[in-house]
Each structure stands twice: as C-alpha cells, then as structure tokens.
Amino acid sequence: MLNLILLEDEAVLRHELTEFLGDCGYRVSAVADLAAFHACYAPALHRIAIIDLGLPDGEGMVLVRALRAQGQPIGIVVFTARGATQDKVKGLGGGADYYLPKSADLDELAATLGALARRLGAPPPSTAWVLELGPRRLLPPGCGAIALSQQDVTVLHALMAEPERIVSRQQIVQSLGEDFLSYDQRRLDTQISRLRRKAEQAAGLALPINTARNAGYRFYAEAEVRP
C-alpha cells in the first residue's frame, strides 16, 4: 500500500475521504490541523500529501511552500473549497502538483492520485478485487465498497478463493449449504446476474466472472479475500 497523509479540518469530510482512499488501496494518515500534520508527517513514510487550505491554525499554502523549501520528495495535491482560477494558479505556483476543488468527483481525486503516484515512481494501488468476509463487502479496484448479503459473500468467496480456476456449479451450491441434486440451477444464475448488476451500478465496472458453459464460473481477475 502507498502511504499518504490527509490534512482536512472538516470531520465528516475527513472521515469520508479516509474511507474512500482506503478503499482505493492507500494507507491513510488523517489529521485535522497544521500542528497534527507536523506531529504525524514522516518524510520516509508518506509519499503523497492531500492538503486543505483553510485550516483552524493557519494556511495550507504555507505548509505547501514549506514542504517544497525543505526539498521533500513528496507529491502534493491541494484539495480545497477555493476553486477560482486565480487560487488554482497560486496553488500550482506555490508548489502543489495538482489543485482540485472540493466540488470535484472523488473518482477524479483517485485518478489524480494514481497519476501522481506514477510520476513519483511509486507502485500504484493494488488492482485486486478484495472480498472482506467480516464486513461483508466487495472492494473493486479504485472504487468504494459494495455492501453484500451473506449469500453474495458465500458465492464470491467460492470464486475468489482461487481466481482463474473454474469453480463448478456443484461446488458453489454446496458452499451455500444446499443439496445440488434438488437445487434449482436458475437460482445460481440469478445470483450471479445480481452480483454483476451490483458491481455495474455501484462502481461502473464489469464484475470479472466468466460463465463456463455446463461447468461453472471463473473469477478471472486478481483477487484477495480478507477476514
């Protein structure tokens, strides 16, 4: 995971961004003011900083200029409510690599961070689809979490535990605790269709499951299963 530090004084937005960025594959240190930033920031650890400008104990651009003056090899994204062109020009001129208004879509923020990570030569966030069993959710690469039912989790676990391998219908049905001989196969097809629709609606991504005719299903992308 790539480590980044987030400086945002608004508690609700800070929590939302921390959760979103975590789902995108980043390890986030979130702080609310300049004092906390200086106490938390570790040049050897944090590769990217997301910095708000209007802070309770000072001005974010002062911090941006200070980081640049220190020669720290850190990527800086200003994320602020100040969206005027002149503010953006000052921000980029003052040392920010990117300047985004808070009205920007979070997917744009994720894409910006990915581009910055590539420029820094840092490894990009994982491209794996992650299934979390305890929270019962699916994390598509670069997107927010998708809530799942227990049946969704069971089916995906059967498929994602061994990606690229065809998992037979019988194996999936048995993982659901059902008798394969009496189980209506159309129920499984409906379940897979519902999962595909969830991924498309929530993340705009095609769920990477292939149908192997008369055999079963295959999860064909990189996958990780977490407790």
Side-chain angles (χ1 to χ4, degrees):
M1 281 187 172
L2 185 66
N3 291 280
L4 64 78
I5 184 167
L6 166 68
L7 174 53
E8 169 58 56
D9 66 309
E10 185 182 337
V12 173
L13 180 57
R14 184 171 64 252
H15 176 77
E16 179 184 352
L17 289 173
T18 299
E19 188 174 77
F20 174 77
L21 295 169
D23 290 345
C24 289
Y26 297 95
R27 184 178 292 110
V28 183
S29 302
V31 295
D33 53 37
L34 291 170
F37 182 97
H38 290 300
C40 179
Y41 173 58
L45 177 65
H46 297 115
R47 300 297 305 276
I48 294 176
I50 302 175
I51 298 175
D52 190 11
L53 296 186
L55 300 165
D57 58 348
E59 170 59 42
M61 277 310 303
V62 173
L63 173 60
V64 173
R65 287 192 290 269
L67 290 172
R68 288 294 179 236
Q70 294 166 13
Q72 302 291 1
I74 186 170
I76 299 175
V77 176
V78 167
F79 194 61
T80 177
R82 303 175 190 172
T85 299
Q86 61 183 17
D87 292 319
K88 184 174 183 178
V89 170
K90 288 180 181 178
L92 294 172
D97 293 291
Y98 292 93
Y99 189 108
L100 293 177
K102 288 183 178 177
S103 58
D105 189 273
L106 290 183
D107 287 338
E108 181 179 356
L109 174 61
T112 297
L113 292 171
L116 182 53
R118 290 192 295 272
R119 283 178 50 192
L120 294 170
S126 171
T127 58
W129 290 69
V130 178
L131 176 65
E132 294 186 336
L133 303 178
R136 293 197 314 207
R137 61 182 193 169
L138 178 66
L139 307 178
C143 299
I146 301 173
L148 301 172
S149 68
Q150 184 56 56
Q151 186 165 299
D152 292 336
V153 170
T154 301
V155 171
L156 284 174
H157 190 196
L159 294 168
M160 295 174 68
E162 296 184 68
E164 301 294 349
R165 185 179 74 86
I166 294 176
V167 181
S168 71
R169 287 175 169 268
Q170 183 172 354
Q171 287 175 291
I172 299 173
V173 170
Q174 288 175 342
S175 73
L176 290 168
E178 300 280 357
D179 178 17
F180 181 69
L181 295 179
S182 60
Y183 186 82
D184 185 349
Q185 295 295 309
R186 292 173 296 183
R187 290 173 57 192
L188 182 56
D189 295 329
T190 299
Q191 176 73 35
I192 297 295
S193 296
R194 186 163 56 246
L195 282 168
R196 286 173 172 151
R197 188 163 56 250
K198 277 188 178 183
E200 177 64 33
Q201 292 176 346
L205 297 176
L207 188 65
I209 294 178
N210 279 343
T211 302
R213 186 177 297 276
N214 298 323
Y217 295 94
R218 178 176 69 99
F219 196 92
Y220 59 84
E222 183 181 357
E224 178 183 350
V225 177
R226 296 175 184 168

